[in-house]
Amino acid sequence: MDLQKQLNEDMKQAMKNREKQRLVVIRSVKSALQNEQINKGSDLTEEEVLTVLNREMKQRKESLHEFENANRDDLVAKVEAEMDVLHTYLPEQLSDEELQKIVDETIAETGASSKAEMGKVMGAIMPKVKGKADGGQVNRLVLQSLS
């Protein structure tokens, strides 16, 4: 079942079960998907849906960081609950070891040997790990490997 159909089914179930928090997150994601679809002018591919989900997760991570810095524990708990709901729709994240292996393979493929070629490596690696790894984590590992 594709993600959009899964979201619709889960939204119905959340309504029946009166799961307010889950319902709010699902509606938010569906709204973001609909906006993306309107901007594109056609149906979204599964990869584009994942891109939107990752964007939603990134926004919540940034909010979480800001709320933690402001000592807003009430909002931290709310955002963490939202992130838990979003995690159910994202693919399994790669472990550090798996990601390091992909980084090493990509560096070998591109023949990069210095930090100056980091853009070339990042351009080659991101499509391979899209949705499965955080860009910041990939950037850090590539930088370490090229040092």
Side-chain angles (χ1 to χ4, degrees):
M1 183 184 301
D2 73 343
L3 279 172
Q4 290 182 317
K5 287 181 183 173
Q6 182 68 44
L7 284 166
N8 285 333
E9 292 300 316
D10 290 350
M11 185 174 75
K12 290 176 193 173
Q13 195 62 45
M15 281 189 243
K16 287 179 185 175
N17 297 342
R18 301 191 190 285
E19 298 172 289
K20 258 186 165 177
Q21 183 68 38
R22 186 171 180 79
L23 186 59
V24 167
V25 174
I26 293 172
R27 283 182 173 157
S28 168
V29 170
K30 285 181 59 63
S31 174
L33 289 170
Q34 189 171 15
N35 288 338
E36 188 72 20
Q37 190 170 351
I38 290 169
N39 290 339
K40 183 182 176 202
S42 64
D43 288 343
L44 299 177
T45 64
E46 210 54 27
E47 186 173 311
E48 291 167 331
V49 171
L50 278 177
T51 300
V52 172
L53 284 171
N54 281 320
R55 187 180 323 132
E56 290 291 309
M57 181 62 83
K58 184 177 180 182
Q59 287 173 352
R60 282 166 176 82
K61 283 181 183 176
E62 290 169 358
S63 296
L64 181 67
H65 181 70
E66 293 299 319
F67 293 148
E68 286 173 340
N69 288 343
N71 292 323
R72 292 293 309 267
D73 295 334
D74 55 330
L75 295 175
V76 166
K78 180 179 180 260
V79 171
E80 285 175 341
E82 290 178 5
M83 289 171 66
D84 288 343
V85 173
L86 279 176
H87 274 296
T88 62
Y89 299 105
L90 291 170
E92 188 71 31
Q93 297 293 297
L94 294 170
S95 69
D96 284 343
E97 295 81 27
E98 293 170 321
L99 192 54
Q100 185 63 53
K101 183 180 176 191
I102 293 171
V103 167
D104 293 340
E105 289 171 359
T106 306
I107 289 174
E109 288 171 12
T110 59
S113 59
S114 69
K115 290 182 184 178
E117 297 172 296
M118 186 164 173
K120 181 167 66 169
V121 175
M122 289 298 290
I125 200 170
M126 287 313 288
K128 294 179 184 179
V129 299
K130 188 167 186 105
K132 298 177 188 169
D134 178 54
Q137 182 184 18
V138 174
N139 189 317
R140 183 177 44 80
L141 289 174
V142 170
L143 197 59
Q144 286 175 355
S145 297
L146 291 176
S147 295

